[in-house]
Amino acid sequence: MPPAQRTLSDNSLISAFSAIVRAASARTVAAYVPLPAEPGGAALVGALAAAVPRLLLPVLLPSRDLDWSVYDGTLAPGPLGLSEPTGPRLGVDAVRSIDLMLVPALAVALDGTRLGQGGGSYDRVLPRVTAPTITLLHPGELLASLPAEPHDQRVCGVVVGSTTGYETAHLHWTKGCAIPHYWHSIGLSANDGG
């Protein structure tokens, strides 16, 4: 994707997800620090920190599981080229009490199957999460289907970015998990053909 289109997509994703956070009155959101080519881009963490009172970011453990820390405005280099928060560690179970989770992905299928980077970190984390799990995607990364392994964990929804500046990014619910009824007023479901 050309840089100008990536910037448009990232900006539309940040705007759409920030609106979802506000519409859901989320008090605690768990997210991630995007790698350079991942949706959301460099501005994602700062925008989320402005939209939610408490933003948790992951810390990669040697086991490939994720610990969590409250984002305090600073990041430090972590393993595998990742950036990590510098605050006190809250433990792997910190995500049990969140209101919403933003999960990284390379692609997602309509049934919620998520293609990640291959380390399995989020397949370890997602069973602990009862809040809706949403992924940001660039256009072309929401697919009809993806191969899945028995250990793969599904996500509840995706926000697909816009690269034209004329349309807006919006939420598509997948068939990946049950969503409390009040969430259905935010975005479309996979059953709507979204």
Side-chain angles (χ1 to χ4, degrees):
M1 178 182 307
Q5 285 185 334
R6 182 174 299 279
T7 298
L8 281 172
S9 180
D10 287 342
N11 290 342
S12 70
L13 289 168
I14 290 169
S15 177
F17 191 74
S18 296
I20 291 165
V21 167
R22 288 189 296 277
S25 300
R27 306 288 302 156
T28 301
V29 171
Y32 60 94
V33 181
L35 294 169
E38 285 184 316
L44 176 65
V45 170
L48 291 180
V52 67
R54 190 168 184 248
L55 178 62
L56 304 184
L57 295 176
V59 176
L60 184 64
L61 297 171
S63 66
R64 300 287 182 157
D65 204 344
L66 298 176
D67 198 340
W68 298 89
S69 180
V70 175
Y71 177 61
D72 64 2
T74 58
L75 296 170
L80 305 176
L82 300 172
S83 294
E84 297 180 335
T86 58
R89 304 303 186 242
L90 304 174
V92 297
D93 288 327
V95 293
R96 292 188 186 277
S97 61
I98 61 173
D99 301 309
L100 188 60
M101 178 173 230
L102 187 59
V103 181
L106 299 174
V108 174
L110 293 176
D111 69 356
T113 300
R114 183 186 73 87
L115 177 64
Q117 297 282 356
S121 296
Y122 282 88
D123 291 324
R124 291 173 176 86
V125 170
L126 290 175
R128 298 181 196 116
V129 179
T130 58
T133 53
I134 297 173
T135 297
L136 303 182
L137 298 175
H138 289 303
E141 296 174 346
L142 177 60
L143 306 173
S145 65
L146 282 169
E149 299 290 330
H151 66 272
D152 288 339
Q153 299 295 309
R154 296 179 179 182
V155 293
C156 302
V158 300
V159 179
V160 179
S162 168
T163 58
T164 65
Y166 295 105
E167 63 222 19
T168 58
H170 60 280
L171 179 60
H172 300 267
W173 293 116
T174 70
K175 298 176 184 174
C177 48
I179 299 294
H181 182 70
Y182 68 88
W183 276 96
H184 283 285
S185 63
I186 304 172
L188 300 172
S189 76
N191 295 326
D192 296 330

